[in-house]
Amino acid sequence: MKKTHIHLVRHGEVHNPRKILYGRMPRFGLSANGRWQAREAGRFLGDRTIQAVFSSPLLRARQTANEILSFQQRPTLRISSHLNEVHTCFEGAPGDQVDRKRGDIYTGAGADYEQPVDIFLRVEKFLSRMRRQFEGEEVAAVTHGDVITFTVLWALGWELAPHNKIRLKAAGYPVGYPAHASVTSLVFHSTADDERPKIVYRQPWQ
């Protein structure tokens, strides 16, 4: 059968002069550099036959998706809440505070906030739908760094745990995390529910 490709695109660099963890906060759009990064991701995907383009509801993701759409003939933008940023209690916190935790915004978080498994469960619903609706075709989905990270950990069969975020370097991510406007392609070879896809990582603007 034909392979199904689901291209997970991280949004471009964000204008964030206060250097905070913006999370799901509104009005955080792309910087000028971020628009350029997104355009390069769009140029890269423009060489492929993309049947649909999906996006997280957040501004930075929608702006990135619109740059991708500018290189496509048919698709229109579709929004999916399954692709949304992590719901975290660290929203609005200084970025260096999160850096000191090595990106672990999960340990000790209250029950109202998402854990890695919660993130993947919503992504899994999105992937299942894409595999049914676009079997043997290609789609692009603009989302966020941790969403991609835990999806990759699942594909590799690694535990969905905060401490495993640092293992992405071993999976072919040069800086140990999905770069802005990078493309993580999930390649499915069958329709089996338990298939773990092949991962192909690219950073078109590098």
Side-chain angles (χ1 to χ4, degrees):
M1 63 169 289
K2 290 177 64 177
K3 302 172 187 175
T4 302
H5 294 74
I6 302 173
H7 304 289
L8 300 180
V9 183
R10 188 182 175 201
H11 60 80
E13 178 188 85
V14 175
H15 179 65
N16 180 21
R18 292 190 292 144
K19 300 187 183 306
I20 64 171
L21 180 71
Y22 33 75
R24 295 183 178 184
M25 296 170 67
R27 296 185 293 279
F28 276 87
L30 298 181
S31 65
N33 187 53
R35 287 188 179 277
W36 170 74
Q37 293 170 339
R39 200 153 41 246
E40 291 304 301
R43 196 184 313 279
F44 167 75
L45 291 171
D47 292 333
R48 312 185 72 93
T49 305
I50 303 295
Q51 297 298 324
V53 177
F54 291 82
S55 173
S56 154
L58 297 178
L59 176 61
R60 58 190 180 273
R62 289 185 281 114
Q63 289 175 328
T64 301
N66 281 321
E67 293 291 347
I68 292 170
L69 281 169
S70 69
F71 291 90
Q72 299 294 325
Q73 296 294 322
R74 287 170 293 177
T76 56
L77 182 59
R78 310 185 197 187
I79 303 299
S80 173
S81 60
H82 295 316
L83 300 170
N84 208 351
E85 179 64 280
V86 178
H87 180 43
T88 174
C89 59
F90 282 89
E91 194 171 278
D96 58 0
Q97 179 182 341
V98 179
D99 292 342
R100 288 194 296 272
K101 293 174 64 63
R102 304 185 74 179
D104 181 3
I105 56 175
Y106 306 96
T107 301
D112 291 339
Y113 301 100
E114 285 188 308
Q115 291 294 320
V117 172
D118 301 318
I119 297 165
F120 178 68
L121 286 176
R122 56 180 166 89
V123 174
E124 186 177 37
K125 293 176 183 177
F126 178 80
L127 297 180
S128 178
R129 177 185 164 199
M130 293 302 99
R131 294 177 69 192
R132 290 194 312 270
Q133 189 172 347
F134 298 100
E135 180 182 342
E137 298 178 324
E138 303 194 30
V139 299
V142 183
T143 184
H144 305 272
D146 272 20
V147 176
I148 296 171
T149 294
F150 290 116
T151 303
V152 171
L153 293 179
W154 161 77
L156 296 173
W158 295 346
E159 182 186 5
L160 300 181
H163 65 264
N164 273 339
K165 286 177 66 175
I166 63 173
R167 295 183 66 183
L168 282 197
K169 208 158 193 176
Y173 288 73
V175 297
Y177 195 71
H180 287 115
S182 60
V183 181
T184 295
S185 301
L186 311 181
V187 185
F188 293 91
H189 293 79
S190 75
T191 57
D193 290 339
D194 60 351
E195 181 187 357
R196 305 286 176 112
K198 177 184 176 183
I199 298 291
V200 181
Y201 176 73
R202 303 177 183 90
Q203 188 177 326
W205 54 268
Q206 189 174 33

